[in-house]
């Protein structure tokens, strides 16, 4: 009779996605064409902004990371965790379950191979362009981080990178 108790678990596990790496397709992770793109689980992405309102200047920094949490029944849920720092440390300031469908996340595969980039925003050029250092990383406090899963077909998306850039091939089927 032990086999009968395992059947629901086996049925659940067979319905979970097998992307080949820990990833989630979230409704909040969309491409410009409106299609959702897989996001790696366990990767911290950060950003910093200077927000100026009149004479008031506010510096804002935040980070976000998807995590898997195993439940008592052996199933998993994906959490989207937001932090008020740039390294996803400490307790999240906001954490919610981001689990649209079991077929849209994979918590049991190894970590994803990724390409991560930090994009700095240049400051306003000064009147003296010859001495302008507005793109110095040491002075550029404002940035956004982005990530792409590379060299692996994940739900019909195949990102590759080379010395000349990062490229996306989008397929009509989930197996590329």
């Amino acid at each position: 009779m032990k086999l009968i108790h395992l059947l629901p678990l086996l049925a659940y596990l067979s319905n979970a996605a097998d992307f080949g790496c820990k990833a989630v397709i979230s409704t909040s992770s969309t491409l410009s064409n409106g299609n959702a793109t897989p996001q790696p689980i366990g990767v911290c992405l950060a950003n910093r902004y200077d927000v100026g309102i009149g004479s008031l200047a506010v510096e804002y920094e935040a980070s976000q990371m998807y995590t898997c949490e195993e439940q008592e029944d052996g199933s998993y849920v994906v959490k989207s965790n937001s932090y008020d720092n740039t390294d996803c440390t400490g307790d999240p300031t906001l954490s919610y379950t981001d689990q649209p469908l079991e077929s849209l996340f994979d918590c049991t595969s190894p970590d994803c191979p990724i390409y991560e980039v930090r994009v700095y925003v240049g400051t306003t050029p000064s009147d003296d362009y010859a001495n302008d250092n507005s793109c110095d990383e040491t002075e550029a406090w404002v940035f956004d981080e982005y990530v792409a899963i590379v060299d692996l077909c994940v739900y019909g998306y195949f990102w590759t990178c080379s010395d000349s850039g990062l490229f996306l091939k989008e397929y009509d089927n989930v197996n590329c």
Side-chain angles (χ1 to χ4, degrees):
M1 291 299 142
K2 291 181 182 179
L3 180 61
I4 293 173
H5 293 287
L6 289 176
L7 288 177
L9 176 61
L10 293 174
Y12 175 83
L13 291 176
S14 67
N15 289 332
D18 183 9
F19 294 139
C21 70
K22 289 182 184 171
V24 61
I25 295 182
S26 168
T27 55
S28 62
S29 57
T30 58
L31 294 173
S32 59
N33 65 5
N35 293 335
T37 183
Q39 296 295 304
I41 293 172
V43 175
C44 180
L45 295 176
N47 54 47
R48 284 196 225 164
Y49 295 100
D50 282 330
V51 180
I53 302 171
S55 62
L56 178 65
V58 177
E59 295 176 347
Y60 167 80
E61 60 183 23
S63 56
Q64 187 272 338
M65 179 171 55
Y66 291 105
T67 59
C68 289
E69 286 187 11
E70 187 171 3
Q71 305 299 295
E72 289 181 17
D73 65 359
S75 65
Y76 289 89
V77 295
V78 176
K79 295 277 191 164
S80 177
N81 299 310
S82 299
Y83 301 84
D84 61 1
N85 55 50
T86 58
D87 58 4
C88 298
T89 57
D91 292 329
T93 54
L94 177 65
S95 180
Y96 64 92
T97 301
D98 189 354
Q99 191 170 339
L101 295 172
E102 292 152 6
S103 61
L104 298 179
F105 69 94
D106 181 347
C107 287
T108 58
S109 294
D111 293 337
C112 296
I114 63 168
Y115 176 86
E116 186 174 352
V117 63
R118 179 178 282 187
V119 178
Y120 287 91
V121 177
T123 57
T124 305
S126 66
D127 291 334
D128 183 6
Y129 290 107
N131 296 318
D132 183 39
N133 293 321
S134 62
C135 289
D136 279 350
E137 184 177 319
T138 56
E139 294 194 20
W141 196 83
V142 178
F143 68 84
D144 284 306
E145 290 179 339
Y146 302 93
V147 67
I149 298 171
V150 295
D151 301 328
L152 190 65
C153 175
V154 181
Y155 212 67
Y157 297 94
F158 195 91
W159 289 91
T160 57
C161 58
S162 68
D163 291 340
S164 59
L166 181 65
F167 304 95
L168 171 64
K169 293 178 185 177
E170 189 176 345
Y171 294 86
D172 292 334
N173 62 62
V174 296
N175 298 321
C176 299

